[in-house]
Amino acid sequence: MKKYLKSIIAIAAISVMTLSLAACGSNKTTEENNNTTTTEGENTTGGEKETLVVATNAEFPPYEYYEGQDIVGIDVEIMKAIGEKLGMEVTIEDMAFDSIIPAIQSGKADIGAAGMTVTEDRLANVDFTDTYCHASQAIIVNAANEEIKTAADLEGKTIGVQLGTTGDMYAGDVTENVERYNKGFEAAMAVAQGKIDAVVIDDQVAKSLAEGNADLKVLEEPFTEEDYAIAVSKDNTELTEKINAALVELKEDGTIQSIIDKYITE
Ligand code: ARG
């Protein structure tokens, strides 16, 4: 299990050195979003537009979540911006997080955008684009918990995670008692109800889950650092290259940062 941690940290370190990443934090208020699940890209050919099927797991605010019937969030808007650059129509497919990579491998989806961390394990099954966001794993505990103050205090504790996430891998490094949930929200509720000791989940999602719930608090010290990228089939390097080119433009013209700023307030 420890090997996961090392490889993830190594990958994160390389990414930090070689790429200027949007730190997912900023200072604007969340605006109203009116996104539909399908969006029109620029049509350069005049014919029928190609569809870019994006697999996600819309249980992950502020990156992807439901607002009424619509899936909105940072990843959704970045995907729409990429679709526009590529002249493709973007369709978002919501599924279990651990179904995303299999969906890409089987061709059910073209890409996966789900706050997905680049890990060595995943690189064996899919390619990743350049990273677009830096994140960390945070620890949520019950507001009344005075015992768990840092990651070191998690040793042997009962930790809730979302199934198949990096939080799932990290928790396994420090305890045998990992409770796996389909949704991060369910894990957070279990902490609030005192059923488990802590949740390990991505920092912005942790904040979002703890917001407005007086029974939860997020520890200041992050567990680990990581970087998000878009997963693409190993058979579609052309698409990976196109998305990377679009990402360069969207980083340079400030689109990515302004999308992040729209959803994340610090
Ligand atoms: N960053 C973590 C990972 O890659 C969690 C991602 C969960 N994403 C989601 N949309 N539920 O494993």
Side-chain angles (χ1 to χ4, degrees), residues 57 60 64 97 114-117 122 162 165-166 202 226 228:
N57 169 249
F60 206 63
E64 43 268 336
F97 183 73
M116 195 180 279
T117 306
R122 289 173 183 163
Q162 186 182 17
T165 59
T166 46
D202 303 53
E226 47 188 50
Y228 296 164

Side-chain angles (χ1 to χ4, degrees), residues 189-205:
M189 285 307 107
V191 171
Q193 292 159 6
K195 290 180 185 158
I196 58 174
D197 298 310
V199 170
V200 173
I201 198 162
D202 303 53
D203 54 347
Q204 294 302 332
V205 182

Side-chain angles (χ1 to χ4, degrees), residues 15-116:
S15 311
V16 167
M17 288 189 313
T18 55
L19 293 151
S20 82
L21 288 186
C24 290
S26 91
N27 42 30
K28 270 210 247 149
T29 49
T30 306
E31 287 157 29
E32 208 163 294
N33 315 296
N34 276 320
N35 306 310
T36 50
T37 43
T38 302
T39 185
E40 301 274 307
E42 222 171 83
N43 192 348
T44 43
T45 58
E48 194 143 295
K49 230 175 294 168
E50 254 187 278
T51 304
L52 185 66
V53 180
V54 180
T56 197
N57 169 249
E59 299 291 344
F60 206 63
Y63 296 95
E64 43 268 336
Y65 58 100
Y66 279 91
E67 210 169 65
Q69 304 274 73
D70 298 332
I71 299 173
V72 300
I74 294 171
D75 287 335
V76 177
E77 292 208 25
I78 292 176
M79 290 313 114
K80 286 181 180 180
I82 287 172
E84 249 167 61
K85 289 270 179 212
L86 269 47
M88 295 174 90
E89 190 154 325
V90 172
T91 303
I92 307 286
E93 293 264 352
D94 186 22
M95 59 187 72
F97 183 73
D98 64 344
S99 298
I100 296 174
I101 288 179
I104 296 164
Q105 289 180 300
S106 70
K108 198 172 160 254
D110 297 311
I111 62 175
M116 195 180 279

